[in-house]
């Protein structure tokens, strides 16, 4: 009998064993030759910890608040598409696991369960991810449905004017299923000469003419929910986001699925933090596989981290229980890292607890 996973990384192999190759490749793959996909994880290894000793860590408090909502730990569930390709219960199972973990799930715009099904599945705080459709009325309907069903924020993904080139999906002839949220509104029955129809669907669907003032102003005109932008990698865009009045920023390169050779997100987190200057909360997305990764992101200024692929791998391996185990492993590892680093609470984690490559270079000058 195979042994139970002892860390989050081991769920990836379990998912690979149970998923059809097409779906595993869809979830695990990145853009082009996947340089950034590897860097998202590898960059964490270049950051070392600077623990403090002889600190009372008999009680560790990992709780924090996100936009005023209390969570048990600064670890949220990132928006990722089409969970029913990983498990029949799809996003409903993920939502229940998030509720059991007392954390926030961001439901994907491209979920296979409807906004209403996820909302009625359990009592929890949820945010809704949004893309802007070429037909604004479709996006407006989704925002209104999310607001009506108790979602607490809109997370606008801004790094997909076009879909990145995902070569595994092209080779596998990956075809997007019809999503229940859009029945009667959008068809995925589009052919593509390249094999996969995902790029053709995205090109027909997403508005690639968006600009800052237009889209944020329009969103504010149709909802009272706070608006976060996901996909920020530079200080220029971080400042622009603050200028147009967003409620928060998610540092993200879309799981390295869009533009290859963008930097690992952990390597630009501090740049964004400094540009924002505390005006809005900054969340972090990309490459989280260990509690030490969470700790490093918090030390560099993130208010919380988002976890994507590990949640999918847990879902594929064992449904709701698999997602619960992934979240518990990360929380347990974070708690241990905090104790061994001399940080009894999240607010005790500071920049002085980590040493980056830039720190090392500066010390040599």
């Amino acid at each position: 009998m195979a042994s139970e996973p002892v860390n989050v990384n081991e769920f990836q192999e379990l998912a690979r064993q149970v998923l059809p190759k097409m779906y595993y490749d869809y979830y695990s793959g990145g853009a082009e030759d996947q340089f950034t996909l590897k860097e998202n994880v590898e960059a964490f290894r270049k950051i070392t910890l600077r623990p403090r000793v002889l600190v009372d860590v008999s009680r560790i408090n990992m709780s924090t608040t996100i936009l005023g909502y209390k969570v048990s730990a600064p670890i949220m569930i990132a928006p990722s598409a089409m969970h029913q390709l990983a498990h029949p219960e799809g996003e409903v199972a993920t939502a229940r696991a998030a509720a059991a973990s007392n954390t926030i799930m961001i439901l994907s715009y491209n979920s296979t369960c409807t906004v209403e099904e996820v909302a009625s599945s359990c009592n929890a705080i949820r945010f809704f991810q949004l893309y802007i459709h070429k037909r604004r009325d479709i996006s407006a309907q989704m925002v209104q449905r999310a607001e009506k069903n108790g979602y607490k924020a809109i997370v606008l993904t801004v790094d997909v004017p076009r879909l990145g080139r995902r070569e595994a999906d092209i080779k596998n002839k990956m075809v997007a299923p019809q999503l229940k949220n859009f029945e009667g509104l959008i068809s995925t029955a589009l052919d593509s000469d390249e094999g996969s129809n995902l790029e053709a669907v995205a090109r027909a669907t997403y508005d690639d003419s968006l600009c800052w003032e237009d889209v944020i102003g329009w969103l504010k005109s149709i909802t009272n929910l706070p608006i976060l932008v996901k996909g920020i990698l530079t200080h220029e865009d971080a400042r622009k986001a603050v200028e147009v009045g967003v409620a928060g920023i998610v540092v993200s390169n879309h799981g390295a699925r869009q533009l290859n050779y963008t930097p690992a997100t952990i390597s630009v987190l501090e740049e964004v933090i400094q540009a924002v200057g505390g005006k809005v909360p900054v969340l972090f997305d990309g490459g989280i596989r260990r509690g030490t990764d969470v700790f490093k992101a918090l030390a560099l200024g993130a208010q919380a981290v988002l976890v994507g692929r590990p949640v999918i791998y847990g879902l594929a391996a064992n449904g709701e229980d698999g997602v619960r185990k992934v979240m518990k492993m990360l929380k347990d590892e974070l708690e241990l890292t905090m104790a061994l680093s001399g940080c009894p609470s999240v607010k005790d984690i500071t920049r002085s607890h980590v040493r980056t490559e830039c720190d090392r270079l500066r010390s040599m000058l």
Side-chain angles (χ1 to χ4, degrees):
M1 181 177 175
S3 60
E4 285 288 309
V6 297
N7 60 60
V8 164
N9 288 310
E10 293 182 357
F11 276 97
Q12 182 168 356
E13 175 58 22
L14 295 180
R16 189 191 66 79
Q17 291 172 10
V18 299
L19 287 175
K21 183 178 185 299
M22 177 186 293
Y23 296 161
Y24 175 78
D25 289 351
Y26 169 73
Y27 289 127
S28 65
E32 297 182 350
D33 61 10
Q34 304 187 134
F35 170 83
T36 299
L37 181 67
K38 300 178 185 75
E39 279 294 296
N40 268 0
V41 174
E42 289 295 321
F44 278 100
R45 299 178 183 179
K46 301 171 186 175
I47 302 171
T48 54
L49 303 180
R50 302 182 68 249
R52 307 294 190 275
V53 297
L54 296 179
V55 177
D56 181 0
V57 290
S58 57
R59 294 181 180 177
I60 300 293
N61 180 10
M62 294 185 291
S63 67
T64 190
T65 57
I66 310 297
L67 296 184
Y69 300 105
K70 189 172 182 178
V71 291
S72 61
I75 307 170
M76 300 166 58
I77 293 182
S80 53
M82 301 187 289
H83 287 202
Q84 282 185 336
L85 301 185
H87 188 274
E89 293 183 354
E91 290 82 4
V92 165
T94 307
R96 288 174 177 157
S101 304
N102 190 17
T103 194
I104 296 170
M105 172 187 177
I106 305 174
L107 180 67
S108 170
Y109 186 76
N110 293 314
S111 63
T112 38
C113 298
T114 67
V115 167
E116 293 79 10
E117 287 170 340
V118 173
S120 64
S121 67
C122 56
N123 184 26
I125 301 298
R126 277 176 291 271
F127 297 169
F128 181 70
Q129 181 213 24
L130 181 71
Y131 291 96
I132 303 299
H133 197 281
K134 290 180 186 292
R135 281 179 51 194
R136 289 281 177 97
D137 63 299
I138 292 176
S139 294
Q141 282 185 44
M142 295 304 297
V143 170
Q144 289 155 8
R145 285 168 62 187
E147 193 163 4
K148 179 182 177 182
N149 284 276
Y151 292 74
K152 301 302 184 184
I154 299 297
V155 180
L156 175 66
T157 293
V158 294
D159 56 2
V160 190
R162 298 186 183 182
L163 199 70
R165 183 174 173 82
R166 304 167 190 177
E167 293 176 359
D169 293 339
I170 295 170
K171 289 180 180 178
N172 292 331
K173 298 181 171 23
M174 176 72 184
V175 175
Q178 183 64 49
L179 302 176
K180 287 194 289 184
N181 270 323
F182 303 106
E183 285 179 353
L185 296 172
I186 303 171
S187 173
T188 60
L190 294 174
D191 295 326
S192 171
D193 295 337
E194 288 201 323
S196 170
N197 80 337
L198 297 179
E199 194 277 335
V201 170
R203 186 179 287 264
T205 300
Y206 301 148
D207 187 349
D208 58 4
S209 70
L210 299 177
C211 59
W212 280 106
E213 291 80 2
D214 167 51
V215 68
I216 301 301
W218 175 74
L219 265 181
K220 286 184 173 183
S221 75
I222 65 168
T223 183
N224 293 317
L225 294 177
I227 300 162
L228 297 86
V229 290
K230 178 176 179 287
I232 302 299
L233 292 172
T234 64
H235 65 83
E236 295 94 339
D237 279 344
R239 290 194 183 99
K240 190 66 177 177
V242 172
E243 286 173 11
V244 298
V246 303
I249 286 172
V250 183
V251 176
S252 174
N253 57 26
H254 211 101
R257 294 164 71 80
Q258 281 297 100
L259 179 62
N260 199 29
Y261 291 98
T262 55
T265 44
I266 195 64
S267 69
V268 298
L269 173 59
E270 202 164 20
E271 173 185 338
V272 172
I273 292 289
Q274 291 170 356
V276 168
K279 295 182 179 70
V280 298
V282 176
L283 309 180
F284 173 85
D285 169 59
I288 296 289
R289 298 295 184 273
R290 286 283 189 176
T292 48
D293 298 338
V294 179
F295 185 94
K296 292 170 185 180
L298 299 178
L300 290 172
Q303 189 172 26
V305 304
L306 277 56
V307 180
R309 286 185 178 91
V311 166
I312 289 291
Y313 298 147
L315 181 67
N318 202 21
E320 177 185 337
D321 189 56
V323 179
R324 287 192 190 202
K325 286 179 179 176
V326 164
M327 299 302 287
K328 185 177 187 303
M329 283 179 178
L330 290 173
K331 288 168 68 174
D332 288 349
E333 289 181 7
L334 174 61
E335 182 179 14
L336 180 59
T337 304
M338 290 171 63
L340 295 178
S341 298
C343 298
S345 71
V346 169
K347 70 179 186 330
D348 294 312
I349 303 172
T350 68
R351 179 62 176 81
S352 67
H353 283 94
V354 293
R355 184 177 173 87
T356 66
E357 285 283 282
C358 288
D359 295 336
R360 279 186 280 275
L361 290 171
R362 279 195 293 265
S363 69
M364 294 169 62
L365 296 176

